């Protein structure tokens, strides 16, 4: 019975990604993904030991070849992307849902390097990658929410059409989700005072509020409700509305005579802010946010965001997080096909991180159950062999006219794969609540 219900849940899902702010729009160029000026992400080989000191405003590492590079490129700061990560003494392995065994990469030796803003980043990267101490170097790509926009007023009458479309009421007959399930919302923050969210906001019970001490030793002081990587503080409140809207879809309080119903009634919402009010953020902040969510007990990590620039720093964080959390991401709203060679040939451009095989990539559907016109496309299906790149989007979910929470106790109807992704994240929490022993590989299958 449960298997049939869950299959029904997933068969009808489709979605569209959209940008976070209704006042901010950005054209994503898959051929020239944008990145943060003046910053490079570098992963040094695991055996490399850096001794960082500042000498006349430049950073020295204790390694001659790297110091020469740092001098040439005027490196003024080097800081760990994963500031609490330490070198593992033993190799760690995970088994993917396809049955493959892969070694989990180390995080401790990935650094964000600051250079002058007018630096030719691509030239600098090329020189760093030639150094034998460097495993990879890359730009600090921007990642974006997938553009959201208010829909027709007819969608703003409180009708949550997506609830019945994904057969959620049938699943609720079996479970409405327990409070042990945590959905991390990596986004623009969450309005935790919203009357339809406040009771479901995650609380870090190992941290003592307001004492200015990192009580749980996770590297973050007083992170009671999560963390804000934009301002580097413990106040991940929403200054955009996108994150609050996403959170309500996944886990708004339900059967409480207030507002809307969430997919996972009692799941806890972990706000992890790394997108600015204008709807974009950096790869380094996304990677750190993923690591935070996984290390602090997230059952599902929802990423209603993406970029056409592939960041190995983000991929490394995801590979580590896969051992602890189910990863869910939006597939994009540009109508691009994920990879060649499917005719006819529009632009081919995989959306990261949704295209990875170990991340549930979510496309968007409309009211008729068909793929929405703007949704990025995976013609090969969720796990069909023959894609030489190994990319895929697995699921489609409703993404048009989705009604949910926005800051200051309000509600609004928005569209995008950003809205489809938390439907899947909420379903993941339902499934894990009903069967806590189910592995990530079984859930993927």
């Amino acid at each position: 019975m449960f298997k049939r219900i869950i299959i029904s849940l997933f068969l009808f899902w489709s979605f569209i990604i959209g940008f976070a702010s209704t006042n901010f729009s950005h054209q994503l160029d898959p051929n020239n993904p944008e990145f943060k000026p003046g910053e490079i992400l570098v992963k040094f080989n695991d055996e490399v030991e850096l001794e960082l000191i500042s000498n006349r405003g430049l950073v020295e590492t204790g390694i001659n070849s790297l110091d020469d590079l740092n001098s040439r490129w005027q490196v003024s700061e080097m800081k760990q992307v994963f500031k609490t990560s330490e070198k593992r003494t033993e190799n760690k392995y995970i088994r993917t849902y396809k049955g493959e065994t892969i070694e989990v990469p180390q995080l401790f030796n990935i650094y964000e390097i600051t250079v002058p803003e007018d630096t030719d980043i691509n030239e600098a990267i090329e020189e760093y990658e030639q150094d034998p101490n460097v495993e990879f170097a890359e730009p600090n790509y921007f990642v974006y929410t997938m553009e959201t926009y208010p829909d027709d007023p007819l969608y703003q009458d409180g009708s949550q059409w997506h609830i019945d479309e994904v057969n959620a009421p049938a699943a609720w007959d079996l479970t409405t989700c327990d409070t042990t399930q945590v959905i991390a919302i990596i986004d623009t923050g969450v309005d935790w005072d919203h009357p339809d969210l406040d009771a479901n906001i995650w609380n870090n019970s190992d941290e003592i509020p307001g004492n200015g001490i990192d009580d749980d030793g996770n590297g973050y002081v007083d992170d009671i409700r999560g963390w804000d990587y934009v301002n580097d503080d413990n106040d991940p409140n929403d200054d955009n509305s996108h994150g609050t809207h996403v959170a309500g879809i996944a886990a708004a309080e339900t059967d409480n005579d207030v507002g809307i119903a969430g997919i996972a009634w009692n799941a806890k919402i972990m706000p992890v802010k790394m997108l600015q009010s204008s709807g974009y953020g950096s790869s380094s902040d996304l990677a750190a946010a993923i690591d935070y969510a996984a290390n602090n007990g997230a059952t599902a990590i929802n990423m209603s965001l993406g970029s056409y620039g592939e960041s190995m720093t983000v991929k490394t964080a995801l590979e580590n997080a896969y051992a602890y959390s189910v990863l869910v991401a939006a597939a994009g709203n540009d109508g691009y096909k994920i990879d060649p060679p499917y005719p006819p040939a529009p632009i081919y451009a995989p959306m990261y991180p949704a295209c990875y095989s170990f991340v549930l990539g979510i496309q968007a559907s409309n009211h008729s159950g068909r793929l929405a016109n703007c949704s990025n496309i995976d013609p090969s299906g969720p796990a069909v062999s023959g894609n030489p790149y190994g990319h895929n989007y697995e699921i489609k979910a409703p993404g048009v006219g989705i009604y949910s929470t926005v800051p200051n106790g309000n509600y609004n109807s928005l569209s995008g794969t950003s809205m489809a992704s938390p439907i899947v994240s909420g379903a993941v929490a339902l499934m894990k609540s009903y069967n806590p022993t189910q592995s990530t590989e079984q859930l993927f299958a």
Side-chain angles (χ1 to χ4, degrees):
M1 174 69 173
F2 181 67
K3 181 178 180 181
R4 176 178 61 79
I5 290 168
I6 291 303
I7 289 173
S8 297
L9 264 170
F10 280 79
L11 282 178
F12 288 99
W13 288 348
S14 58
F15 56 89
I16 316 165
I17 289 183
F19 248 71
S21 172
T22 57
N23 298 317
F24 179 84
S25 182
H26 211 98
Q27 181 63 43
L28 301 184
D29 184 350
N31 297 313
N32 297 288
E34 293 182 308
F35 49 81
K36 195 170 183 179
E39 290 186 3
I40 304 170
L41 302 182
V42 178
K43 185 178 191 301
F44 299 100
N45 296 326
D46 291 346
E47 64 273 13
V48 172
E49 296 183 5
L50 304 179
E51 298 179 3
L52 303 182
I53 61 169
S54 179
N55 183 7
R56 298 180 181 179
L58 299 180
V59 177
E60 295 181 351
T61 65
I63 299 173
N64 290 336
S65 62
L66 294 177
D67 289 344
D68 289 343
L69 284 170
N70 283 6
S71 176
R72 167 168 164 69
W73 294 104
Q74 296 292 290
V75 173
S76 59
E77 184 177 9
M78 290 179 61
K79 60 182 181 181
Q80 285 181 290
V81 173
F82 308 96
K83 63 181 182 180
T84 61
S85 292
E86 299 179 352
K87 185 176 182 179
R88 293 193 300 265
T89 57
E90 297 181 357
N91 293 336
K92 182 178 180 181
Y93 299 90
I94 59 172
R95 181 175 292 275
T96 71
Y97 79 102
K98 292 183 177 180
E100 302 164 336
T101 299
I102 62 173
E103 182 178 347
V104 178
Q106 301 254 22
L107 298 176
F108 75 100
N109 242 1
I110 301 179
Y111 282 79
E112 179 184 292
I113 295 179
T114 301
V115 296
E117 287 205 359
D118 60 355
T119 297
D120 185 328
I121 294 296
N122 290 321
E123 185 180 347
I125 285 170
E126 185 176 348
E127 291 199 9
Y128 273 93
E129 286 199 318
Q130 292 174 358
D131 189 283
N133 297 290
V134 173
E135 183 173 324
F136 67 74
E138 63 185 8
N140 195 359
Y141 288 112
F142 285 136
V143 295
Y144 305 88
T145 58
M146 300 297 124
E147 185 172 3
T148 59
Y149 50 90
D151 246 333
D152 255 334
L154 292 175
Y155 291 135
Q156 300 182 25
D157 62 1
S159 177
Q160 293 182 275
W161 70 275
H162 66 281
I163 295 290
D164 289 337
E165 181 71 9
V166 300
N167 291 332
W172 292 338
D173 287 343
L174 298 174
T175 179
T176 55
C177 194
D178 61 54
T179 58
T180 65
Q181 306 305 314
V182 178
I183 303 174
I185 305 296
I186 297 181
D187 216 290
T188 62
V190 175
D191 178 7
W192 59 69
D193 290 323
H194 195 291
D196 224 1
L197 300 175
D198 54 0
N200 281 358
I201 298 298
W202 174 74
N203 177 266
N204 185 357
S205 59
D206 294 327
E207 197 76 20
I208 299 172
N211 68 352
I213 299 172
D214 179 16
D215 300 288
D216 59 2
N218 70 350
Y220 299 89
V221 174
D222 291 341
D223 56 322
I224 302 302
R225 306 179 186 88
W227 196 255
D228 176 358
Y229 285 91
V230 175
N231 301 295
D232 196 27
D233 61 31
N234 60 2
D235 182 18
N237 219 325
D238 189 0
D239 52 7
N240 175 286
S241 80
H242 187 271
T244 301
H245 198 273
V246 168
I249 296 168
E253 299 167 40
T254 306
D255 199 30
N256 64 342
D257 291 325
V258 176
I260 64 165
I263 296 293
W265 292 16
N266 304 304
K268 293 302 179 182
I269 298 165
M270 179 192 291
V272 190
K273 177 179 173 64
M274 53 72 49
L275 294 174
Q276 301 185 31
S277 59
S278 51
Y280 73 95
S282 68
S283 294
S284 56
D285 283 346
L286 173 57
I290 292 165
D291 191 53
Y292 178 90
N295 289 339
N296 286 279
T299 303
I301 297 178
N302 187 87
M303 295 166 283
S304 290
L305 48 78
S307 173
Y308 291 118
E310 181 179 18
S311 168
M312 297 306 297
T313 302
V314 171
K315 186 178 183 183
T316 302
L318 290 165
E319 287 172 338
N320 277 266
Y322 178 84
Y324 308 100
S325 308
V326 178
L327 309 172
V328 185
N333 291 342
D334 300 309
Y336 299 156
K337 294 186 179 180
I338 190 169
D339 290 312
Y342 308 101
I347 295 175
Y348 299 111
M351 176 63 72
Y352 301 97
C355 68
Y356 291 131
S357 61
F358 53 91
V359 177
L360 285 173
I362 314 303
Q363 303 164 88
S365 63
N366 56 30
H367 288 74
S368 67
R370 295 190 177 95
L371 202 65
N373 290 335
C374 61
S375 181
N376 284 354
I377 306 162
D378 180 2
S380 69
V384 175
S385 61
N387 182 332
Y389 304 94
H391 296 151
N392 53 267
Y393 308 135
E394 288 81 1
I395 300 171
K396 59 178 181 174
V400 175
I402 306 300
Y403 210 80
S404 186
T405 48
V406 292
N408 302 315
N410 295 318
Y411 301 85
N412 201 357
S413 173
L414 301 175
S415 297
T417 43
S418 282
M419 284 60 258
S421 182
I423 295 175
V424 177
S425 294
V428 167
L430 284 179
M431 295 172 72
K432 295 290 282 186
S433 177
Y434 184 78
N435 183 5
T437 64
Q438 184 174 217
S439 69
T440 298
E441 294 73 27
Q442 290 171 319
L443 189 147
F444 263 65

